[in-house]
Amino acid sequence: MTYVVTEACIKCKHTDCVDVCPVDAFREGPNFLVIDPGECIDCTLCVAECPVDAIYAEDDVPVDQRHFIALNEELAKVWIPIVEVKPAPPDAGVWAKVKDKLGLLER
């Protein structure tokens, strides 16, 4: 089992999770993070660090977010690792609870 970043991260992109990941499994895109399932060791540390509750164990991803499992795997192959905390976008708080943001994902 791996952990998965879901829709709540789009346009929020807090990187607190990156700081606690012992294997550098996070990959960074322009406005979203993903977890490389080949690197994730299922330690659970990132879940508690996400201020927008965007990270789930693969088996616990909500039904309406299940497509993010494949999306994390796909994008992890092309995005570069992120290993340092960066400031969240200035409007991250505005986007934190917005639903249906998949169309806003920048690849």
Side-chain angles (χ1 to χ4, degrees):
M1 180 175 61
T2 187
Y3 281 77
V4 178
V5 181
T6 60
E7 185 173 52
C9 182
I10 296 172
K11 294 189 72 74
C12 288
K13 202 170 103 172
H14 291 276
T15 58
D16 308 56
C17 51
V18 170
D19 196 38
V20 298
C21 183
V23 294
D24 300 331
F26 283 88
R27 306 294 182 257
E28 180 182 26
N31 67 350
F32 185 58
L33 299 175
V34 297
I35 296 173
D36 183 336
E39 295 291 325
C40 181
I41 60 169
D42 310 328
C43 70
T44 76
L45 294 173
C46 58
V47 176
E49 293 302 314
C50 181
V52 296
D53 300 321
I55 303 172
Y56 293 87
E58 183 176 6
D59 292 343
D60 297 333
V61 174
V63 173
D64 67 331
Q65 301 283 302
R66 304 269 318 151
H67 54 283
F68 279 91
I69 297 169
L71 187 63
N72 273 240
E73 185 173 2
E74 172 194 338
L75 296 175
K77 292 176 183 173
V78 294
W79 285 355
I80 60 170
I82 176 173
V83 296
E84 294 181 351
V85 174
K86 297 180 180 180
D91 59 350
V94 173
W95 289 103
K97 299 297 179 191
V98 173
K99 303 289 183 199
D100 300 320
K101 298 187 287 185
L102 184 58
L104 301 173
L105 176 66
E106 297 174 29
R107 293 175 180 255

